[in-house]
Amino acid sequence: MTLIFTLAALAVPLPSIGADFRLDRADLILLSASYGLTFAGLLLLGGRLADRFGGRRALTAGLLLFGAASALAPLAPGYEALLAARFGQGVGAAIVAPAAMAVLRALFPAPVAYGRAMATWGGLSVLGATAGNLLSGVIAAATSWRGTFAVPVAVAVAALLLAPRLLPATPPGPQPGPLPATPPGTGRALDLPGALLATAGITLASFGLVLTDAHSWGSAPVLVPLLTGAALLAAFVAVERRTADPLLPPDFLRDGRRALGLAAIGLTASGTATVFVLLSLALQEGRDWSPLLTSAAFVPFAVALLGSGRLAGPLIGRYGPGRVTGAGLGAAAAGLGLLAATGFDGSVPYAYGLLPGLLLLPAGGALSFAGAAVLAVEGVPADRAGLAGGVLNTAMELGPTVLFAALLTLGGDAVSLAAAAALFTALAAVTIRIK
């Protein structure tokens, strides 16, 4: 939850940061996306590290990196230093996220209990993004945008102190599970060539997409990193097919339910992130709202999210994760459509211009995230828990990074949300047929 909080925490203070450092919109978009670039690029390696060295050990190392970068961010004297700190946060988070899921797998070894835990995790992910928007505005109003980094620092310190006492010492290598994938006593190689290719490919391709907000698709600043990243990812696929113990086994994504779950996670994350960033900028720059008032606008979002999240687990148990995911995507699509129609018209009052969409989107998003998380990890053996965490979180990070950048190139902000609503509707039509 804290990792997603950190991803969303700069959405509200972005205009203040831009004013302090005299940044244009392209710089602000890159600053917002920088955390996700390294986070997404390193998640597969982070998952393998968790499987290789044990979840708790990897979690501790990642928390140290994440906490250190978070502590340096508020001290940044300029844009470049803050950007570097955000990149550093992403590196630490890429180790923490899959390691936390490996620990979760050890805490709940039974498939049914693990499924319930993942449904809860899915709801908490959306809650983390919402909390980032709400608290960042409050903290920025009370102190400055630099104070928003106090939350991840405090959580990292608390987690480092409590982890040895509360979390099981997950052993490296294979652990007991329903489908053992490797013989007992054998470890997993790190597949460094695959790790380097995946990290560089995802990061460069995502960076190229982020730059489309400031440059045309045919320009060198976009094409060079985009094409280079695509070439590296193609090389990664070729290497993985020939490696004895690949970073991402090709069979892992062949399960149709898992693929749909990952697609739903990425799409829901992108829709939520797009709304947070675009509305935060529109309310402050278009309606001249303060950061505190902007955060207050998202309070109903949080209330709807919490209410829907409490219903997700029982609904999944009764109707199945696929149907719940599809219904959630449909509701979120309706919310996005409403926001696209009236959310950016400053003459339309908040009560019926923004509020209906800010209720429907989180209600559907919580259901979608919870159901999709269950779909994504069903049947995963215990010794691949870190891999599952890496892939799941990669989908969650690539959504806001890649789709957000792509949506911004379509035209105005309302057009971007309308396009997102269409994608939600299409995926809902497929997913809702699955039990």
Side-chain angles (χ1 to χ4, degrees), residues 50-57 106 168-176:
D51 289 336
R52 172 78 181 267
F53 297 107
R56 197 176 79 178
R57 187 180 299 177
T170 51
Q175 302 167 33

Side-chain angles (χ1 to χ4, degrees), residues 213-286:
D213 186 67
H215 304 278
S216 67
W217 281 89
S219 64
V222 171
L223 284 180
V224 171
L226 190 60
L227 295 179
T228 304
L232 291 173
L233 289 175
F236 168 71
V237 173
V239 167
E240 296 303 277
R241 289 177 176 175
R242 301 174 184 175
T243 302
D245 192 13
L247 185 72
L248 179 60
D251 65 324
F252 191 80
L253 297 178
R254 288 176 186 163
D255 185 296
R257 292 167 65 88
R258 181 171 298 129
L260 283 174
L262 293 171
I265 287 171
L267 188 57
T268 305
S270 72
T272 303
T274 302
V275 166
F276 283 159
V277 173
L278 295 185
L279 284 186
S280 294
L281 291 173
L283 291 176
Q284 293 180 75
E285 296 177 351

